[in-house]
């Protein structure tokens, strides 16, 4: 059976992030974070699509940051954050769309200096790889197929952002003996 674009994208991102030691072989399962995806995507897509033509890496990469922020919120005060109706708008409106990456790195993840810059480069590389994979699909822009491929890209970046942050906070999925 031939792999779908989404499967290949997932595999490629996972291999890259494994090579960087940013995720574990077995990705974490966190239904609370996954349940937020649909609402976040619906709220994000108008902004993301508007920015995509001029800033494709930002349009894609910002979703990885959002995944990281949601994972951090889940670990910190999920009883509070889970009740926020539009978690994407909550994040975006702190500093605006253009500075959302900086807000998440500084105020949510509390990164400084080398860690701040390293994450910026890592997310940029992931976004660039995803954009490159998307471009190589040769999908006509403005079509339903293009929209679905874009949403698939965002979903993978969200999930991998969350997986990276969960690992950074010490959550590991390991095989149980017995």
């Amino acid at each position: 059976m031939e792999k779908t674009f989404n499967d290949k994208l997932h595999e490629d991102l996972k291999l890259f992030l494994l090579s960087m030691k940013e995720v574990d072989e077995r990705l974490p399962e966190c239904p609370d974070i996954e349940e937020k995806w649909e609402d976040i995507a619906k709220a994000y897509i108008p902004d993301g699509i508007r920015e995509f033509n001029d800033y494709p890496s930002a349009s894609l990469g910002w979703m990885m940051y959002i995944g990281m922020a949601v994972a951090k919120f889940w670990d910190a005060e999920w009883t509070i954050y889970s009740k926020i109706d539009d978690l994407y708008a909550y994040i975006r409106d702190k500093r605006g769309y253009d500075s959302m990456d900086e807000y998440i790195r500084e105020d949510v993840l509390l990164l400084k200096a080398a860690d701040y810059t390293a994450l910026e480069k890592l997310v940029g590389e992931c976004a660039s790889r995803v954009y490159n994979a998307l471009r190589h699909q040769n999908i006509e822009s403005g079509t339903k197929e293009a929209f679905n491929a874009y949403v698939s890209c965002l979903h993978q970046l969200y999930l991998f952002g969350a997986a990276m942050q969960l690992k950074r906070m010490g959550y590991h999925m390991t095989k149980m003996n017995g």
Side-chain angles (χ1 to χ4, degrees), residues 98-113:
D98 292 343
S99 299
M100 193 167 21
D101 61 326
E102 295 164 358
Y103 164 71
I104 292 170
R105 285 194 315 266
E106 291 170 6
D107 295 352
V108 177
L109 305 177
L110 306 175
L111 298 177
K112 297 189 183 337

Side-chain angles (χ1 to χ4, degrees), residues 2 26 34 37 66 80-81 92 95 113-114 121 159 170:
E2 191 175 324
R26 178 146 183 222
E34 179 60 30
W37 159 249
I66 292 167
I80 295 168
Y81 289 109
R92 180 198 61 210
R95 293 195 196 168
K121 287 180 181 171
L159 292 174

Side-chain angles (χ1 to χ4, degrees), residues 10-26:
H10 177 87
E11 191 175 286
D12 291 349
L13 268 174
K14 184 177 179 183
L15 287 173
F16 172 68
L17 291 169
L18 275 169
S19 76
M20 302 298 288
K21 298 185 178 9
E22 289 289 341
V23 296
D24 293 324
E25 179 63 40
R26 178 146 183 222

